[in-house]
Amino acid sequence: MQTNNHIPNYFKSKQLKLPLSLEIKIPFDSEVRTFDEVFSKLEIDKYLKYPKDTRGRIGYNPHQMLKLILFCQMEKIQTLRDLAKAARNDIRIMWLTDELMPSHQTIKTFMDKYLVNGIDNIFYELTKYLIKEENIDTNNLFIDGTKIESVANKYSFTWRGSVEKFRDKLYKKISKLLTELNLRYQESDMLFNTHETYDATYLFKIKNFLDKEIKLHKINFVAGKGKRKAPLQRDYEHILDYITKLNEYQNHLDIMGPDRNSYAKTDKSATFMHMKEDHMRNSQLKPGYNIQIGVADEYILHMDIYQDRSDYKTFIPFLEGLKQSYGYYPKYPVADAGYGGLVNYMYLKLNHMELFQKYTMYSKDTHDKKRMNDPYFALNLIKEGDDFKSPNGDVLKYVHKNKKGNEVYELPNGKQKEINNENLEYQKEVIKNLKSPLGIDLRNQRSIQVEGAFGVIKEAFNVRRFRRRGTVNVKMEFFLTAIGYNLRKYYNKKYRITE
């Protein structure tokens, strides 16, 4: 048996050899070819114009920079340093960006300049292309939300209840001080009125009075051990301290706004919420954001970030944002029990959308036999004039309408029952819709599509905690993730690849 061990001594494995073109190395079904095909058909240049006040040297080509960032999102590469590393080592990215190799700081600067306020336009440019290319049925939109933790320190909390409690205690201290001042300076013909609440402007007037008294009596301020402060100095310092505290409490409340009860000091846009990942099993609140997405044919068509913990309150602004982005409402916006309610149902009917959203008691109203067999169960009652008639023949007499807007009816046993007739009609329509063949199919699709999308984003894309602070920056980060998700989904569908 003869072996060929002959290796030319003039050959080196690291020497330069053909081919020199990177394109030859990339397979026809590579992700980067699909990405380049899609990117070339988008009108991206209008969102990447240089700012008019740009000075100094011309930076990297923004077109190529955007390619680098978006393709890395498609490949689940998200940190700045990982992006910079991939640009230096991945031949697909070298071919795509013409061997662009920016530093992580350059990538961050590009994001801050072009993407923080413009990524939403790029996202909707892509989704409109996908709708046309994939014939996406936009009549069906599956909506759901999840909470994702902020990068803020989880122990840097500020609570509305605590702020208001300490502010109320401060009001009492101010009233007590003003009473003492009225006694102390009654010879000056000054009277400081006491109130239940105070603001800094009112205390500044008292401070100005004390300033004049200090100059008039030539009071020298003292400090330190063995020094005795004059009454005027003590009063002046108390007023200054109370002004500072009032401004501090008001600043906390201004940051929270009228709709929030907490915020994180290290990310003032984040609200403390219950998260699904509760490792300590003590229902610990963590700073985070409420992420809402709308999915159709497995693609994310719309998304938004909210500081409100309740999904119910996000439903109307979410659909209004969709209308603003696409110019129309979906015919069947399907959502779970967290979104159904009178206000949302009225909004849907007003805008000619169908009711396919469960309400809070939907499960009990359709599965609890004891509840369903109750003769006075609201859904079993039949309207007769102003009264209701139960299946067993009993009549529920109308009494009055209460402050909540509900009608009050008297039962035969003397007890009273509240019913909102308008909401009751909506609930009947919801049950009818969701139990229809179309409703059953839409419910199943909602569970698969929108919850599946969140599963992929959290597990495959590893988005369990944001890396940036502030609503604007967090929104940019999730828009980038959604773009990467849609591009990956398009590629998988194109080549029938199942993740």
Side-chain angles (χ1 to χ4, degrees):
M1 183 175 179
Q2 193 175 18
T3 59
N4 184 10
N5 293 325
H6 176 67
I7 300 176
N9 56 9
Y10 54 82
F11 173 77
K12 294 180 181 179
S13 61
K14 299 292 191 297
Q15 73 182 31
L16 183 66
K17 54 186 179 293
L18 296 175
L20 297 177
S21 174
L22 293 174
E23 185 172 6
I24 300 173
K25 293 282 190 180
I26 299 173
F28 77 94
D29 60 348
S30 174
E31 301 91 338
V32 72
R33 292 193 183 276
T34 300
F35 174 85
D36 192 51
E37 173 193 341
V38 173
F39 195 87
S40 64
K41 295 178 181 178
L42 303 180
E43 297 180 9
I44 298 296
D45 290 337
K46 58 185 177 183
Y47 308 121
L48 298 176
K49 295 180 180 178
Y50 280 105
K52 293 182 179 179
D53 59 345
T54 300
R55 297 179 181 181
R57 293 181 300 172
I58 297 175
Y60 284 105
N61 185 332
H63 202 79
Q64 305 287 25
M65 288 287 290
L66 185 62
K67 280 185 178 181
L68 165 65
I69 293 170
L70 297 188
F71 180 70
C72 285
Q73 294 298 321
M74 180 181 175
E75 288 297 286
K76 306 161 191 171
I77 304 170
Q78 296 181 321
T79 67
L80 296 175
R81 293 182 187 274
D82 286 344
L83 264 70
K85 184 177 179 180
R88 295 193 303 270
N89 298 291
D90 194 323
I91 64 168
R92 298 173 303 171
I93 298 176
M94 293 179 186
W95 170 77
L96 180 67
T97 64
D98 197 19
E99 301 189 44
L100 193 75
M101 296 183 185
S103 67
H104 69 277
Q105 186 59 48
T106 303
I107 297 172
K108 181 184 182 302
T109 302
F110 174 82
M111 287 183 173
D112 293 340
K113 184 181 292 186
Y114 292 101
L115 300 188
V116 168
N117 295 315
I119 190 62
D120 54 338
N121 295 321
I122 297 171
F123 172 79
Y124 291 115
E125 185 80 18
L126 171 64
T127 54
K128 288 172 184 176
Y129 168 80
L130 293 175
I131 289 171
K132 183 179 179 181
E133 187 74 12
E134 294 285 279
N135 294 320
I136 296 174
D137 184 4
T138 56
N139 285 323
N140 302 334
L141 188 72
F142 306 103
I143 301 170
D144 201 4
T146 191
K147 275 85 172 177
I148 297 181
E149 190 177 346
S150 165
V151 74
N153 188 323
K154 63 184 70 174
Y155 300 111
S156 63
F157 42 73
T158 301
W159 305 104
R160 179 184 295 276
S162 298
V163 172
E164 292 178 344
K165 180 182 73 174
F166 289 123
R167 187 185 60 177
D168 291 342
K169 287 183 178 180
L170 182 62
Y171 288 157
K172 293 179 181 179
K173 289 182 180 180
I174 295 172
S175 295
K176 182 180 178 182
L177 177 63
L178 294 186
T179 303
E180 294 174 358
L181 292 179
N182 286 333
L183 293 174
R184 194 171 295 142
Y185 304 108
Q186 57 185 348
E187 296 180 358
S188 302
D189 295 329
M190 286 293 296
L191 178 65
F192 304 113
N193 296 323
T194 58
H195 306 283
E196 291 185 0
T197 63
Y198 300 92
D199 58 24
T201 305
Y202 183 67
L203 295 191
F204 264 113
K205 294 178 181 178
I206 301 171
K207 173 185 169 295
N208 293 335
F209 167 76
L210 293 177
D211 278 330
K212 293 177 182 178
E213 289 293 310
I214 289 168
K215 291 179 181 178
L216 179 65
H217 294 88
K218 299 180 180 179
I219 302 296
N220 293 321
F221 280 22
V222 295
K225 189 175 181 181
K227 305 286 185 176
R228 186 174 182 83
K229 296 180 181 179
L232 261 174
Q233 181 181 348
R234 289 198 299 270
D235 294 339
Y236 185 83
E237 289 177 350
H238 282 145
I239 287 294
L240 275 182
D241 184 43
Y242 293 161
I243 289 173
T244 302
K245 283 293 182 183
L246 278 178
N247 286 331
E248 180 184 335
Y249 295 149
Q250 188 58 47
N251 182 51
H252 289 319
L253 296 174
D254 289 342
I255 291 172
M256 277 182 266
D259 301 321
R260 289 202 294 165
N261 290 322
S262 64
Y263 76 89
K265 292 177 183 176
T266 49
D267 183 3
K268 295 179 181 178
S269 299
T271 306
F272 278 79
M273 309 176 181
H274 285 290
M275 302 288 173
K276 290 183 179 179
E277 293 82 6
D278 186 13
H279 305 295
M280 299 295 290
R281 298 182 181 178
N282 58 357
S283 298
Q284 182 184 16
L285 297 173
K286 297 179 183 178
Y289 295 89
N290 189 352
I291 315 300
Q292 298 289 318
I293 64 172
V295 179
D297 287 352
E298 301 182 52
Y299 291 101
I300 299 175
L301 296 190
H302 184 56
M303 58 78 55
D304 210 343
I305 307 285
Y306 298 94
Q307 297 172 313
D308 202 309
R309 296 172 295 174
S310 169
D311 289 338
Y312 183 79
K313 293 181 180 179
T314 67
F315 189 64
I316 294 176
F318 182 83
L319 288 176
E320 284 299 308
L322 179 80
K323 171 68 161 48
Q324 185 177 357
S325 300
Y326 294 99
Y328 53 82
Y329 295 107
K331 186 176 181 181
Y332 303 107
V334 186
D336 63 15
Y339 299 84
L342 178 59
V343 175
N344 287 348
Y345 290 153
M346 291 172 63
Y347 166 80
L348 291 167
K349 280 295 185 183
L350 185 64
N351 292 285
H352 312 291
M353 288 178 274
E354 299 296 328
L355 306 186
F356 283 83
Q357 307 77 28
K358 295 180 182 178
Y359 54 91
T360 307
M361 299 297 291
Y362 174 85
S363 181
K364 284 195 171 185
D365 286 352
T366 55
H367 294 89
D368 190 334
K369 292 184 179 180
K370 182 178 179 181
R371 180 180 178 85
M372 295 168 65
N373 293 330
D374 183 354
Y376 303 131
F377 178 43
L379 294 173
N380 293 336
L381 301 176
I382 301 171
K383 188 74 172 175
E384 291 187 351
D386 291 336
D387 304 328
F388 274 111
K389 187 175 182 181
S390 68
N392 62 5
D394 291 342
V395 177
L396 283 69
K397 292 287 186 181
Y398 174 79
V399 180
H400 66 277
K401 194 169 186 176
N402 62 17
K403 295 180 180 179
K404 297 178 183 178
N406 299 331
E407 291 80 11
V408 179
Y409 296 87
E410 186 175 359
L411 305 179
N413 58 12
K415 295 182 180 180
Q416 292 186 339
K417 183 180 181 68
E418 288 186 25
I419 299 176
N420 189 306
N421 289 322
E422 185 177 12
N423 194 36
L424 183 62
E425 293 302 315
Y426 289 142
Q427 290 176 354
K428 289 180 179 179
E429 184 176 346
V430 167
I431 293 173
K432 179 183 176 182
N433 289 344
L434 292 178
K435 285 190 172 183
S436 67
L438 175 62
I440 294 171
D441 180 59
L442 290 178
R443 276 190 290 161
N444 291 334
Q445 286 297 317
R446 190 203 70 82
S447 301
I448 295 168
Q449 294 201 32
V450 71
E451 293 182 11
F454 275 130
V456 171
I457 287 171
K458 288 187 175 182
E459 293 296 331
F461 285 79
N462 196 29
V463 179
R464 294 185 174 275
R465 191 182 189 194
F466 288 116
R467 297 179 177 86
R468 296 169 176 83
R469 290 181 171 90
T471 304
V472 175
N473 292 314
V474 166
K475 187 177 288 189
M476 178 198 70
E477 184 176 340
F478 199 80
F479 264 126
L480 286 173
T481 302
I483 289 172
Y485 173 88
N486 283 344
L487 288 169
R488 171 61 60 174
K489 181 65 67 176
Y490 178 75
Y491 171 73
N492 290 345
K493 283 190 172 185
K494 184 176 181 180
Y495 292 102
R496 303 292 189 271
I497 298 174
T498 304
E499 286 201 0

